[in-house]
Amino acid sequence: MSGNLAKAWTIARRDLRGRFVGLRLLIICLFLGVATLATIGSLTVSITDELANRGQSILGGDIEVSIAQREASSEELDALRSEGEMSETIRMQAMARLPDRSETQLVELKGVDALYPLYGELLLDSGEAAQKPGPNDIFVTPALMQRLTLKTGDTINFGETSFTIAGVISDEPDRLSEGLSLGPVAITSLEGLRATQLIQPGSLFESKYRVKLPTEVDPTELADRLGEEFKNQAWEIDTRNNGAPGTRRFIERMGQFLTLVGLASLVIAGIGVGNGVASYLRGKQNAIATLKILGADSAMIFRIYMMQIFAIAIIAIVAGLFVGAFIPYLILQFAGDVLPIRPDFAIYPLPLFVSAAYGLLIAVIFALPPLARAKLIPAAGLFRGEGNSWRSIDRSTWVAVLLSIAGIIVLALSSTNEPTFTLAFIGSALGILILLTLLGTLIRWLASKAPRPNQPLLRLALTNLHRPGAQTGQLVVALGLGLTLFATLAAIQTSLNNEIRNTVPTEAPSFFVLDIPVERADEFTSRVNAEAGKADVNIVPTLRGVITEYGGQIVSELEEIPEGAWVLRGDRGLTYSPTVPEGSEVTSGEWWAADYDGPPVVSMDEEVADVLGLKVGDSLTVSLLGVEIKSTIASLRAVNWRNFGFNYVLVFPPNVLADTPHNVAATIQVDEAMEDGLLGILPSEFPSISMVKVKEITSQVSTILNQMAAAIASAASIAIFSGIAVLIGAIAASRQSRIYDSVILKLLGATRTQILSAQAIEYAVLALLLSAVALALGLFAGWFVITQIFEFNWQPDWGVVLLTLGIGAIVTLGIGLVGSIPVLSAKPARALREL
Amino acid sequence: MTQSTAATSDTAQSNSHIAIQAQNVTLSLGEGDARVDILKGIDLSIDAGNTVALLGPSGSGKSSLMAILSGLERATSGTVNIAGADFGKMNEDELAVARRGRVGIVLQAFHLLPTMTAHENVAVPLELDGSSDPFSIAAEELSAVGLGDRLGHYPTQLSGGEQQRVAIARAMASRPSIIFADEPTGNLDGATGEIIIELLFERQKATQATLLMITHDPELAKRCDRIIELRDGLIERDSAA
């Protein structure tokens, strides 16, 4: 066996000398696909690794305990202090006001103690580390300076206190672990924060206690022990190994999605691989037949050409890995603030290995079938020109192909945290590929059955679509998938942007207002109406708590949070209501009477209940302000999350929560002209409130969506490039026959313009067909995502979608015409001798 | 058309002296209305060491008969025995293996492997046959055909005559017992063709191989021990030269 391999390799090397026509397509397609996957994988791992490596400074400690809406008790503080050096911070939303009350700004206000930060440094724009702020000192971010036109030394007010700006923050070491911020950041001392009087029973704030542990202490073990000891206290515990879980989850999820998009692009590249290999082997027919004459059997032929093709494939894959390993460094240099963190350059073997594995599997899937056919070229092929005869593929080749497909699926599933989504994506991509393949076959069939035009050039254009060897089917798949991806992205992105631009202003309130003291709720409503005239004010009680048990399952005993069970992470908004809240509809169980006074019950969102496997009658325990409340699920609700109001997963009857210290929140809908007035007056008259202007939030969301869309489009663009490579390969493969046609037409009197016109018609028909297919599939996919998954209105920007497809069609036509130029210049006499 | 018997003059000759034997060989291609009967029943027996010319007009089935006898094609029916191997029962791969060391083929269009040197082209059948020293033997064969100084040349660097000499060396390298030559001078000018024919006969004599050659040249045919004429898929005449 090894002797046969050695023989095959010797002959393979010799035979590979000279031209690589056909193999160039293999090289380009594999290189593009593997480089894309390697780039995405390396970038994702570099960011998540950096998050893990800088865990201490990102978290602000080795272990962090977060508590919502209260500070730690003395017992809790003692327990934490006994483990190591402990730092306390309190974070909340608050309204910054200029002393003359001319302007206000929603801010994330943070109070820190003398030990903050335990790791890293709070850096100011002067380059120095900030000193512990005095009780009236405050450090702010440049965004706040800009919005309120401030400078160092100026005064701003929060609640009952005035602060002097002592410096501008350039780097807050634990910024990432604080999560999403609705406004700029301001940092003062804990004493200063308490002096604002904004921390009241029921206020929405978060206390964090970070501990610096001795090196021998394992933070994970400590977290488990403390979690067990204080399991009823609604603690949220993180360790330095997971310093910014929300950011990490987002990066991982985005990385996985981009990998799937990159994988779909690699499949397109695989079509190019298959075409390239088939074209290459067609050119080797005589050599194969000659080798058979000389005594090579089909197994030897297979070995020889398999070694050639996979040697080239490995070179392409290695080149792709090289690029994929280094491009993330360039992306990090140019990405600016788009990425949450900027790691140093490093090589990450695992994503490179996975990308190489994908590349090899794709090479096997698409290169084996033409190889299997080529080995069956008979020796008599030299005499009979049997190059285009169909040969069926043997079973062992099918088995290898199917195993490779399974390998890709297994690899994709093993490297994702969301297997259901991954399977759905792979299934959809395969479905689209199959659909495009059938469409390609249909187009060829229709072309063959279409009435023959009288005009010979038109006739030639039409017959070229279905002549033997025509690559119409492969082009429909290769270019079709890329164009479909782009059409889908354009439809989704423009529909989402229009939703934000058109629907939000008409349906969303002008403001969300938090932390209105419950005893001043009526006063608040009256003030708004007095100031704004016609205003729609909706008030709801708002508390925050943590789910600690559901259906008998203690949350702290879970190995990991089940897929889709986001409600179990961190604290949740809670409310109470005597009646079914607006935007909800009871779908199971019974709503309580308005004066219900029985044991604790709760109404739950039906989708969340489904994820947790809960039904009416099951138990649910929440912990708020250190007290556990065990309830029975009385009803399930369908919640309209799109109505821009306050929607809650959990709603209790008044008797359960009304006596718990809490504030109320409100939505205010006013004419746009009244907004600034309210923003100027309400925070000063109600110092504890935070007013969120919806327009600012939607602007931020829109920016983030556009950035995500750009990233997805970049990954999907590889599909387009691969499709173009397939198109170029198809043009090259058909060059001989096109030259022959061109020469005969010239003999018969056709001009070059006429011949080029025939080519133009053919490619124009192909481009139009591809665009029509991509439009139909892309719109359906976009509609499904927008209406069935996001449950938004379907309102794509038709101009953008059609422009996207139009550009794709023009590129297809352009490449086809450029590829036709050499055909036109073939000299008849010489060509007839050589063909 | 008549069908002559394919038996050699001496019917008592033992089978071990018979290099090529075909019995009632037919070849048909296509099906139904498109079916073409190329060979309609060939009976043929050729002694080892003989030189045989195969003549006939275009379409008579000469190349098809040679393809079947050399194992490049499978007969539709009949038996084919080549140097003791029953070619009629073999599949494509078995025929390829059977050709090693048994059959050498020289074709009109040379069919050298374009990415290999002359030396490598001649070495290929030896390597496939598992020869322990293919390149030495190949060098000897090339020297025998007068190309000892062109070992490193690629086909594009050789003239037509030189390419055909390489093809002859390649065909002879593994000392086959039978050489098939399909119009070996068809792509060559008269003078070069003469050289090639001389070389072919010289190598045949040196190795005592059986030579079956397709040619349109009656004068060349006369140089062979035996002439077989085909017409319309049947042997019309079979006589000693």
Side-chain angles (χ1 to χ4, degrees), chain B residues 22-241:
Chain B
Q23 289 179 325
N24 200 24
V25 167
T26 67
L27 178 68
S28 301
L29 297 176
E31 288 174 3
D33 292 342
R35 178 181 161 128
V36 176
D37 295 322
I38 298 174
L39 298 174
K40 297 169 185 173
I42 301 289
D43 290 297
L44 182 63
S45 185
I46 298 174
D47 288 344
N50 274 13
T51 58
V52 179
L54 202 53
L55 289 172
S58 288
S60 60
K62 309 184 297 295
S63 292
S64 297
L65 178 59
M66 176 167 288
I68 287 173
L69 296 179
S70 62
L72 299 184
E73 185 87 74
R74 294 182 65 198
T76 305
S77 67
T79 60
V80 179
N81 202 294
I82 304 297
D86 186 350
F87 272 21
K89 290 186 177 160
M90 294 181 184
N91 63 27
E92 182 82 20
D93 280 348
E94 288 165 342
L95 287 170
V97 174
R99 280 195 288 276
R100 298 176 192 172
R102 183 179 273 109
V103 166
I105 303 175
V106 180
L107 299 163
Q108 181 175 343
F110 327 136
H111 286 297
L112 301 181
L113 293 164
T115 57
M116 299 190 197
T117 62
H119 199 185
E120 289 164 343
N121 262 282
V122 176
V124 167
L126 295 164
E127 291 171 290
L128 289 171
D129 200 22
S131 167
S132 58
D133 196 5
F135 283 92
S136 296
I137 299 171
E140 284 172 15
E141 285 300 322
L142 281 167
S143 294
V145 298
L147 290 178
D149 59 342
R150 309 282 252 200
L151 299 185
H153 284 65
Y154 287 90
T156 52
Q157 296 170 315
L158 300 171
S159 67
E162 288 169 337
Q163 289 187 59
Q164 194 62 297
R165 283 198 247 172
V166 173
I168 290 171
R170 186 177 67 181
M172 306 294 298
S174 52
R175 291 289 181 273
S177 52
I178 304 168
I179 301 291
F180 294 95
D182 186 348
E183 302 210 49
T185 60
N187 279 8
L188 303 171
D189 61 83
T192 309
E194 276 293 322
I195 295 169
I196 293 300
I197 291 301
E198 286 303 322
L199 191 56
L200 200 52
F201 275 101
E202 180 192 311
R203 296 303 297 142
Q204 182 274 328
K205 193 172 175 185
T207 59
Q208 286 299 298
T210 307
L211 173 64
L212 177 62
M213 179 167 55
I214 293 175
T215 180
H216 282 117
D217 184 356
E219 293 303 312
L220 172 57
K222 285 178 187 169
R223 290 180 62 171
C224 296
D225 299 328
R226 179 172 165 189
I227 299 173
I228 298 173
E229 290 182 44
L230 259 63
R231 185 177 289 275
D232 290 334
L234 291 166
I235 295 178
E236 185 179 53
R237 204 173 296 130
D238 181 358
S239 57

Side-chain angles (χ1 to χ4, degrees), chain A residues 48-59:
Chain A
T48 53
D49 260 20
E50 184 72 3
L51 288 174
N53 292 339
R54 288 173 48 184
Q56 283 172 331
S57 55
I58 288 173
L59 187 68

Side-chain angles (χ1 to χ4, degrees), chain A residues 528-563:
Chain A
V528 170
N529 287 322
E531 183 61 33
K534 200 173 88 176
D536 185 8
V537 182
N538 182 31
I539 302 259
V540 292
T542 184
L543 304 90
R544 295 199 73 81
V546 176
I547 297 175
T548 56
E549 174 269 338
Y550 66 94
Q553 171 69 57
I554 307 293
V555 173
S556 61
E557 293 173 0
L558 286 170
E559 292 265 341
E560 59 179 30
I561 305 291
E563 189 180 341

Side-chain angles (χ1 to χ4, degrees), chain A residues 38 203 229 235-236 330 393 396 451 578 610 736 741 748 756 811:
Chain A
S203 302
E229 187 178 338
W235 279 16
E236 188 180 338
L330 294 175
I393 300 170
S396 59
D610 186 52
Q736 288 286 78
D741 291 345
L748 299 174
L756 189 62
V811 167

